[in-house]
Amino acid sequence: MIPPIASRFVAGESPAVALEHVRRLNDRGVEGIVNLLGEHYDDRADAEADADEYLSLIDDLSNSELEACISVKPSQIGLSVGEEAFREILERIVDYGAKRDVFVWIDMEDHTTTDATLGAYERLARKHDGGVGVCVQANLKRTREDVERLADVPGKVRFVKGAYDEPADVAYTRKEEVNRAYRELLEYAFEHYDGGIGVGSHDPEMIDHAISLHDEYGTDFEIQMLMGVREDAQYDLAEEYEVWQYLPYGTRWKSYFYRRVMERKENLWFAVRAIAGR
Ligand code: FAD
C-alpha cells in the first residue's frame, strides 16, 4: 500500500487506480500523463518488465475514452543497462503508442543522460513525425542550444526547471538564474516552435509568462503540473487552457516522493496535513 505520507503525490499501486484517477481528472477538464514509477534498473529484464506494463497501459488507454498519455523514464527502460538497450526498448514503446494512438513523453534525468535521451527522442520523433515528446531542463547550461536544435524536430517539448542536483560546471545553481533561463527558453520556444510546448511548472509567474507569450505569438501550448501540487489551480486553468496532470503510480514511490520533498520542503508539510485531515 502507498503510505498516506506519499499518497498525495502518487495515484496508487495498480494501473486500474491510476486510470480511475485519470477519469476523475477528465471529469474536471484536466488530462492525464500516466507514469509507472521505476528508475535505475541495471538488469535488462526489469526494464523489459516495465516496458511490458507500459504496452498494457497503452492498450488500456487506447481502449478507453480517457484523455491521457504516458511518460517514461530513460533509466527505467534500459538506459542504466546501456544506450542500445534504451533505444530498443523505447522504440518498442513509442512504436506501439503510435499504432494505438497514445502519446509517449520521455522524462529527463540527470545531465549524464541528456545526450542519449535527446538522441533517442529525435530519431523516434522523425520516424513517426511526432507522437512523442521529451523534457528539457532550464537549470542545464546546454539547454538553450538543445532547444534551438529541437525547433525543427516534429514532436513536443516539455520545459521544466530541473529536479536533479547538478554540478555548477554544467548547471545554474541559483534559483534566480534558473528562473531567468526558464523564461528565456519559453520566449525562444513561443517565437520559434510551431506548437507542442509543454509548460511543466507550478510557478504562477512562469505560467503567466507563457500565457502572455501565447497571446503575443499564438503558439499552441499546454500547462503540465504534478499530481498533488496546486490542484485547484490546475482545475481553474483548465477552464481556459489545455492542462495535463502528471500522475505516477506503482510500488516504487520512495525516490519520487523524496524528489518532491527536496524541491519544496512544504510538500512534506502538505502531506502530513493531508494525513491529519483524514
Ligand atoms: P518552483 O521553482 O519549485 O516553485 C516556484 C513557485 O511555484 C513557488 O514559489 C510557488 O508559488 C509555486 N509552487 C511550487 N510548488 C508548489 C507547491 N507544492 N505548492 C504550492 N505552490 C507551489 N524535472 C526533471 O528534471 N525531469 C522531468 O522529466 C520532469 N518532469 C516534470 C513533469 C511535470 C509535469 C512537472 C510539473 C515537473 C517535472 N519536473 C521534471 C520537475 C521540475 O523540474 C521541477 O523540479 C518542479 O516542477 C518544481 O519547479 P516549479 O517550476 O514547479 O517551481
Side-chain angles (χ1 to χ4, degrees):
M1 230 184 77
I2 310 285
I5 191 87
S7 61
R8 176 187 174 97
F9 302 102
V10 177
E13 289 199 321
S14 69
V17 229
L19 296 190
E20 189 44 45
H21 183 88
V22 173
R23 201 177 311 281
R24 286 195 296 273
L25 287 177
N26 286 178
D27 285 346
R28 303 192 66 176
V30 173
E31 297 164 82
I33 305 174
V34 187
N35 165 257
L36 167 64
L37 290 163
E39 56 195 324
H40 306 307
Y41 298 148
D42 5 322
D43 186 343
R44 183 162 179 151
D46 292 331
E48 297 282 4
D50 275 20
D52 288 343
E53 181 150 347
Y54 275 123
L55 298 197
S56 149
L57 193 58
I58 286 172
D59 276 334
D60 290 345
L61 292 175
S62 183
N63 293 335
S64 75
E65 301 288 304
L66 297 175
E67 298 289 344
C69 61
I70 63 166
S71 201
V72 303
K73 279 212 174 343
S75 74
Q76 170 182 35
I77 54 158
L79 193 52
S80 302
V81 180
E83 260 190 73
E84 200 183 328
F86 169 54
R87 280 198 300 269
E88 287 169 6
I89 298 174
L90 179 65
E91 185 161 21
R92 188 153 77 88
I93 297 171
V94 172
D95 285 358
Y96 198 64
K99 191 167 147 204
R100 308 262 10 221
D101 204 17
V102 174
F103 191 89
V104 179
W105 280 102
I106 310 167
D107 288 352
M108 186 61 80
E109 297 176 279
D110 73 77
H111 77 280
T112 62
T113 67
T114 313
D115 279 330
T117 305
L118 292 182
Y121 159 71
E122 193 168 338
R123 196 172 76 78
L124 291 170
R126 291 196 190 285
K127 175 177 173 184
H128 291 289
D129 197 22
V132 59
V134 76
C135 176
V136 294
Q137 299 152 319
N139 64 333
L140 294 189
K141 293 175 181 168
R142 60 172 288 164
T143 296
R144 172 61 186 235
E145 257 177 55
D146 292 332
V147 163
E148 290 180 15
R149 204 180 69 249
L150 294 176
D152 295 330
V153 178
K156 290 191 187 183
V157 179
R158 173 200 301 155
F159 293 81
V160 301
K161 291 186 186 176
Y164 297 83
D165 263 339
E166 301 282 12
D169 56 328
V170 299
Y172 305 115
T173 50
R174 290 183 20 243
K175 220 172 172 42
E176 314 83 73
E177 292 177 313
V178 177
N179 285 342
R180 197 199 59 232
Y182 192 90
R183 286 169 171 279
E184 289 175 0
L185 291 174
L186 288 186
E187 284 154 19
Y188 181 88
F190 275 88
E191 187 174 351
H192 295 95
Y193 281 28
D194 291 335
I197 298 171
V199 178
S201 176
H202 312 101
D203 191 337
E205 279 182 32
M206 300 305 153
I207 292 167
D208 285 350
H209 194 46
I211 290 171
S212 62
L213 289 166
H214 166 72
D215 292 344
E216 184 177 351
Y217 295 106
T219 319
D220 283 340
F221 77 114
E222 60 196 54
I223 297 163
Q224 301 184 358
M225 296 198 203
L226 303 177
M227 179 182 169
V229 182
R230 299 197 67 215
E231 291 198 347
D232 288 345
Q234 298 180 26
Y235 301 133
D236 288 348
L237 285 162
E239 288 179 14
E240 211 172 333
Y241 303 101
E242 189 176 324
V243 177
W244 292 75
Q245 183 183 104
Y246 182 106
L247 60 118
Y249 78 93
T251 52
R252 300 183 185 91
W253 52 270
K254 278 190 194 138
S255 48
Y256 180 82
F257 178 62
Y258 178 75
R259 266 200 299 282
R260 299 291 76 83
V261 170
M262 289 318 284
E263 73 198 4
R264 194 172 161 87
K265 303 292 182 298
E266 291 94 317
N267 281 337
L268 188 59
W269 167 237
F270 286 135
V272 170
R273 226 172 31 184
I275 306 172
R278 274 163 194 241

